[in-house]
Amino acid sequence: MVRGRWKWYLTRQRLRASRFWALPVTLLGAGLFLSWLFPLIDREVTLYGKEVGESFFAHLDSGSMATLLSAVAGGMITLTGLVFTAITLAMQFGASQLSVRVVPILQQDGVMRWAMGTFMATFVYTLMISVRLAVSQANYRPVISMFFAMLLAVVCAVLFFVLVTRVTRVLNSGQLLHYLAAEGRRAVDRTHPEHGPAAPVAPAPQAHPQPDTDPVVIRLGTPPGRGQTLIACDDRGLERLARRTGTRIQLVPVTGDFVAQEAPLFLVHPGAKPWRRRNLTRHLLFSTTLSSGSDPAGALRAFVDIALKALSPAVNDPGRAVQCLDHIEDLLVMIAPRLAAGQPSAAPGAFHRRTRSWADYVCIATDEIRHFGHASMQVQRRLRALYATVAGACAPEQVPPLRSRLTTMDAEAGTQWPQDLDGRLARLPDSQGLGTESGDTRNGLHGGV
């Protein structure tokens, strides 16, 4: 029980979106504190070690120190403006050229938050030191404060290069897709563990109500401050709660659903012991959108959105859509062995919720790309190779959703490609889309489905 609660706590901490301003404001407060602490240390050093300070820093006077600190402060405010411009540019590019689902990734990026906070903290620190120096110029030599400001300037320079690298990664669609794929694999490991068979469900208490008992409808009510999209659910916690109170609980929305204010959230058949609404809702996690790291469907949806944007007439980049299909294939191959098609979720328990089937994942991952990419031979060939490769990793009962889509593509190929050559080329699977004229024949991909 303790392990289950700790796992849910870690899941909430990982998936919960951090506020963008929290870290920069914390660093700004640290800069203000250090601007008070180091002058205090400098005054003590000046008071008890004046001869030592003058012998080691004979050419440093208060005026030159103030000039140097002012230069650092000016440079930091310029870098801060540059960081803001870079973040705005990356978000604009991600939303317009890739997908709106990329924007939360940028908001949660630690490098951008650290860069913004460090640059502003350095600016405020050097500015406050300069003000203190101007007020007490006669008896104040901020040697330690100045050297710490130089150290902060070096740190800011390193952070600037790291920030440029991170923004370049965002603007590079290949690297961004690689990042989304890594998030998606972690989501698959979390939601469908490879060596994690379903835990046996304990027998339900005898105090369960009769099946004809009308359930109590628990609605969302006041929207959560972090959003209304359900991104995670503590199944084990709700199962324990239902067994402990003798109730039967059903979660109405599925992961990824947007829950309106008055939409049903739970259906609860009351049991022998009282229960509270808060005990139910604390096992749910909401956000503004289903991210790639929250659920495998979120990762697949992100790839599909980017592929659809690439296939739009305004962009017309089927090569990027093929890159998305590469990662979609990787995720489907990873999901297939862990999710038996049509398999019931262990034994009927006191808690129940809808989950996605194998056919749902195939639909989410490929159907929209299949529709919008019907005029691209490159996309059609890559899709056929995807279906064939995934079929090789599937159980026999999981193949029909793939076969039905290939049958539909065969029927559409004659209409879309009436010429014999084009029709023949469009029907050949190719792992590169248009890698060779004869398609990809390795591992028997032509007849794999």
Side-chain angles (χ1 to χ4, degrees), residues 150-205:
M150 296 298 101
L151 177 62
L152 285 179
V154 174
V155 172
C156 290
V158 174
L159 263 179
F160 175 76
F161 291 120
V162 176
L163 176 66
V164 171
T165 303
R166 186 58 56 92
V167 173
T168 303
R169 188 190 73 174
V170 173
L171 300 180
N172 186 331
S173 60
Q175 294 183 0
L176 180 61
L177 293 178
H178 179 74
Y179 174 81
L180 291 176
E183 288 288 305
R185 286 191 291 270
R186 283 193 286 268
V188 173
D189 286 331
R190 184 177 59 84
T191 57
H192 305 294
E194 185 174 8
H195 301 292
V201 180

Side-chain angles (χ1 to χ4, degrees), residues 19-34 113-114 116-118 120-121:
R19 302 185 185 277
F20 182 82
W21 53 265
L23 180 60
V25 170
T26 301
L27 294 175
L28 190 64
L32 287 172
F33 172 75
L34 293 177
R113 291 186 292 156
W114 272 99
M116 179 72 75
T118 304
M120 281 302 298

Side-chain angles (χ1 to χ4, degrees), residues 43 62 130-142:
R43 287 190 180 94
S62 299
S130 300
V131 170
R132 292 176 179 274
L133 185 62
V135 172
S136 56
Q137 187 172 6
N139 59 355
Y140 179 37
R141 288 169 54 85

Side-chain angles (χ1 to χ4, degrees), residues 192-228:
H192 305 294
E194 185 174 8
H195 301 292
V201 180
Q206 298 297 325
H208 274 318
Q210 298 298 321
D212 57 353
T213 303
D214 293 332
V216 178
V217 180
I218 304 298
R219 304 183 184 276
L220 179 64
T222 304
R226 295 181 179 271
Q228 294 176 244

Side-chain angles (χ1 to χ4, degrees), residues 384-400:
R384 289 176 179 272
L386 181 149
Y387 289 137
T389 303
V390 174
C394 287
E397 64 270 16
Q398 292 177 306
V399 175

Side-chain angles (χ1 to χ4, degrees), residues 1-2 5 201-208 234-249 269-280 282-283 349-351:
M1 182 180 299
V2 175
R5 292 176 179 175
V201 180
Q206 298 297 325
H208 274 318
D234 182 14
D235 295 357
R236 294 180 179 272
L238 287 169
E239 179 72 26
R240 290 194 301 268
L241 176 64
R243 295 201 305 266
R244 187 172 64 251
T245 58
T247 59
R248 284 185 292 135
I249 303 173
H269 293 267
K273 297 182 181 180
W275 51 273
R276 292 186 299 176
R277 181 183 186 277
R278 182 178 178 277
N279 291 337
L280 297 173
R282 68 186 179 91
H283 293 283
F351 168 70

